[in-house]
Amino acid sequence: MNSRSHLQSFINNSLAIRQEIQRFESVHPSIYAIYDLIELVPDQLIAQQIRDHVVCIEG
């Protein structure tokens, strides 16, 4: 791999990382709101199942 293609790869990866950070930051408030709502679910088993799914979505 020559230095130009290495640089282009680095730029593409950096852009992808920045876009992922922006995506996460844009959905993060909604994720916190979901956790707040989960606290209102009276059935703890269902609440935990929902929490587990949200954790998977975060990932």
Side-chain angles (χ1 to χ4, degrees):
M1 180 180 272
N2 65 33
S3 62
R4 182 181 170 122
S5 61
H6 181 72
L7 178 60
Q8 187 62 42
S9 176
F10 177 78
I11 291 170
N12 290 341
N13 288 337
S14 294
L15 177 60
I17 290 168
R18 283 194 307 274
Q19 289 173 334
E20 178 59 20
I21 290 169
Q22 289 173 341
R23 183 202 65 79
F24 180 78
E25 288 174 344
S26 72
V27 299
H28 203 65
S30 295
I31 291 170
Y32 274 127
I34 292 169
Y35 283 122
D36 289 341
L37 290 172
I38 291 170
E39 295 301 318
L40 302 175
V41 175
D43 186 317
Q44 291 304 304
L45 179 59
I46 292 174
Q48 186 57 50
Q49 290 173 340
I50 295 169
R51 197 175 289 110
D52 292 343
H53 286 293
V54 174
V55 168
C56 288
I57 291 168
E58 283 183 285

